[in-house]
Amino acid sequence: MMPPMSRRRWLGAAGALGLSACTTLPQPAGPVALEAPAIPREFRAAWVATVANIDWPSRKGLSTAEQQAEVRATVALAASLGLNALILQVRTSADALYPSALEPWSEYLTGTQGQAPDPAYDPLALWIAEAHARGLELHAWFNPYRARQSAAQSPLHASHLSQSRPAWVKTYGKQLWIDPGEPEAAAHTLAVMRDVLSRYALDGLHIDDYFYPYPEKDAAGNEVDFPDEPSWQRFGLATGLNRADWRRQNVDRLVEAMFRLTREVRPGTQLGISPFGLMRPDARPPGIAGFSQFDKLYADVERWLREGWLDYLVPQLYWPRAQAAQAFGPLLQGWLALNPQGRHVWPGLFTSRINAEPTSWQPEEIVGQIDLTRQLHPASGHVHFSMAALTQNRRGIADLLRFSYPAPALPPATPWLPAPAAPALRLAWVDRQHAALLADDGSPPQRVWRWWRVQGQWRGELAGPGLFAWPADADALVASAIGRNGLEGPRQGWLR
């Protein structure tokens, strides 16, 4: 396959050469489109964490060229492994991994909060372009409440919320947190998300398991309550709710507002949430025990599923299959049973537990969890935390995943998303070997699926816009555009 070209270059080349009438080129053949099989479906993703330089950039202070090279290498590796989506952390701590008028540049780029890359570029725009060029989805991951992570070292910039709106920000343990009980703080977070949704062609908006913070303990081992007394006095008491229910209401309102925001600003964009992996105690399968995010993080995930305030859920099932109190299989089945709206449920896998330590997981645990997910919930998906484990090929996990992903797959469709139907396609030839797939209006679709027939067998591939080469051993092509909701457009066929 040829490397991606700019839309202007390959559209210009296709129009200028006008070779589509050449009789030696493949010709339209509608009936062959009926022969190709259904597209295989599975969400195969990895989180790309920027906080503390977990995944990207590999360290603070890399040059612009080095940062960009790492982006391209990461996306290329993801595509070569068979992944079809990346979930990039763009707001780690009330900061930005993109140019923003609302929050300062993240320190994890240059080493200094508020300092832009030099030479200047837009990291998020580059990630989207590189992912889309290969047919991968790019989801933007936000931390709605964390304001400073414990490993942060840079001085806080004057535009950071802790400096500009200190009443919203609380010290809790070794970190700073935006108080979920402050309505103006929630409005600011939504404004940040609106800004990104309006400017970038995102496939998903994503948040993880940080709502109210995980409990801190004092020297005596007692839990320290989150210091939200001012917002409780000003806003909570008037609701008539107890404090725990008021806190849950604060989080519920943000989740619902995020869902409605995605529908308003960029229809067709998915909202994804990745909570802690255990459901509330009264909704658990028999034998499951442990931490309650409902009671401690004030996250009523079960309600969000009931209400349909999300498009996909990625519960962090970060335990081995044999760990009875948090067993992977029963937990996955439990979450599926709490899903009356039929939203996507894809487990988060703790792939980074594969490391150099004596307590490391074996790669076979992750492969086994993928296999079990396919058995319990066929044509669904999973997400790896995080990309670093695959980039470093820890204990050969990347090599093993090539066997787990023997052929490309398309993420499952999300038919409830409001999105235009995918268009029919035509071939625009640039020379006797290379072509582009275009809609009738001449525009390239973001994603296409191509089936090649080689010696009577069909070989599929997921691709972005751009030129491609007709393989020498293929005698037929069947292609379709993929809409923003993942539904397949009309198939077209050509014979050589």
Side-chain angles (χ1 to χ4, degrees):
M1 186 180 300
M2 295 184 67
M5 295 175 63
S6 73
R7 176 181 173 182
R8 179 177 297 176
R9 283 182 60 202
W10 58 259
L11 282 180
L17 289 173
L19 294 173
S20 59
C22 178
T23 57
T24 61
L25 294 174
Q27 297 299 305
V32 75
L34 302 176
E35 300 178 18
I39 298 175
R41 299 275 186 164
E42 185 173 61
F43 191 70
R44 302 172 181 169
W47 281 287
V48 180
T50 57
V51 68
N53 300 99
I54 291 173
D55 291 303
W56 178 86
S58 59
R59 58 180 174 83
K60 300 174 186 177
L62 293 179
S63 69
T64 289
E66 290 170 326
Q67 291 178 17
Q68 293 175 338
E70 288 190 351
V71 173
R72 295 186 176 99
T74 301
V75 175
L77 175 63
S80 72
L81 289 176
L83 302 185
N84 51 35
L86 291 171
I87 303 173
L88 173 69
Q89 191 175 31
V90 300
R91 188 200 198 218
T92 75
S93 320
D95 56 4
L97 271 291
Y98 56 91
S100 172
L102 299 176
E103 297 188 315
W105 281 98
S106 171
E107 74 168 82
Y108 301 113
L109 287 169
T110 63
T112 301
Q113 189 177 86
Q115 181 176 317
D118 185 18
Y121 81 107
D122 186 334
L124 178 53
L126 179 63
W127 275 99
I128 292 172
E130 291 296 320
H132 285 179
R134 292 167 175 80
L136 275 68
E137 295 183 357
L138 197 288
H139 298 224
W141 164 21
F142 295 77
N143 289 98
Y145 297 121
R146 186 172 60 204
R148 186 171 175 85
Q149 195 256 355
S150 58
Q153 298 176 338
S154 171
L156 290 161
H157 190 262
S159 65
H160 189 261
L161 288 183
S162 64
Q163 309 301 300
S164 63
R165 299 302 298 263
W168 295 354
V169 178
K170 307 298 180 184
T171 299
Y172 187 64
K174 297 180 180 179
Q175 306 195 78
L176 298 181
W177 290 89
I178 301 170
D179 183 354
E182 291 285 349
E184 290 185 5
H188 171 81
T189 293
L190 291 167
V192 168
M193 294 176 177
R194 177 182 290 275
D195 173 56
V196 174
L197 282 168
S198 66
R199 291 196 287 137
Y200 297 95
L202 297 175
D203 301 293
L205 187 74
H206 184 95
I207 60 174
D208 58 10
D209 57 317
Y210 289 115
F211 303 104
Y212 279 81
Y214 284 86
E216 296 283 347
K217 294 184 178 181
D218 60 20
N222 300 310
E223 286 189 4
V224 177
D225 198 25
F226 183 72
D228 58 358
E229 185 66 19
S231 59
W232 166 246
Q233 291 293 332
R234 290 166 55 214
F235 305 110
L237 287 174
T239 66
L241 299 173
N242 64 45
R243 198 151 179 168
D245 286 339
W246 171 72
R247 287 172 172 173
R248 277 185 285 271
Q249 181 187 75
N250 294 331
V251 179
D252 286 348
R253 285 177 171 173
L254 183 73
V255 169
E256 182 182 12
M258 288 173 57
F259 177 72
R260 302 200 183 285
L261 181 68
T262 58
R263 295 297 193 261
E264 173 200 344
V265 179
R266 192 169 290 275
T269 297
Q270 299 182 65
L271 175 62
I273 301 179
S274 178
F276 182 77
L278 301 184
M279 56 285 291
R280 55 186 290 174
D282 60 356
R284 294 175 181 175
I288 296 297
F291 181 83
S292 171
Q293 64 183 327
F294 179 84
D295 295 300
K296 300 296 185 181
L297 307 184
Y298 307 99
D300 192 351
V301 183
E302 296 78 10
R303 182 185 181 191
W304 309 339
L305 280 170
R306 287 196 310 272
E307 300 285 352
W309 290 342
L310 48 81
D311 298 299
Y312 67 88
L313 187 80
V314 186
Q316 297 173 15
L317 304 190
Y318 287 176
W319 304 277
R321 290 163 295 167
Q323 187 164 315
Q326 295 86 33
F328 182 93
L331 279 173
L332 177 56
Q333 291 177 302
W335 282 112
L336 291 170
L338 295 170
N339 186 24
Q341 299 271 13
R343 297 314 202 209
H344 297 307
V345 176
W346 303 320
L349 310 181
F350 203 0
T351 310
S352 289
R353 277 291 283 117
I354 303 169
N355 51 44
E357 302 298 323
T359 56
S360 167
W361 285 9
Q362 295 303 310
E364 290 76 14
E365 177 63 40
I366 296 300
V367 172
Q369 291 182 1
I370 293 172
D371 291 342
L372 183 55
T373 300
R374 289 169 174 168
Q375 294 170 27
L376 298 175
H377 194 30
S380 57
H382 51 270
V383 183
H384 297 277
F385 185 84
S386 64
M387 194 64 199
L390 309 183
T391 302
Q392 298 163 13
N393 195 19
R394 297 179 187 173
R395 298 185 182 238
I397 180 60
D399 298 331
L400 281 179
L401 287 179
R402 296 182 195 278
F403 292 97
S404 290
Y405 308 142
L410 186 68
T414 310
W416 57 85
L417 278 180
L425 298 176
R426 61 181 175 86
L427 274 178
W429 288 94
V430 174
D431 56 34
R432 297 180 187 276
Q433 187 67 15
H434 302 112
L437 288 162
L438 305 177
D440 286 340
D441 64 2
S443 63
Q446 178 180 314
R447 287 183 298 171
V448 297
W449 186 272
R450 296 194 289 256
W451 284 112
W452 298 103
R453 190 173 66 187
V454 178
Q455 297 181 351
Q457 301 296 313
W458 291 98
R459 183 180 69 210
E461 62 184 11
L462 176 62
L467 293 179
F468 62 93
W470 188 293
D473 56 354
D475 66 357
L477 166 64
V478 173
S480 53
I482 307 301
R484 285 184 54 76
N485 56 8
L487 292 175
E488 183 181 7
R491 292 188 171 193
Q492 307 293 327
W494 296 265
L495 288 174
R496 182 168 70 178

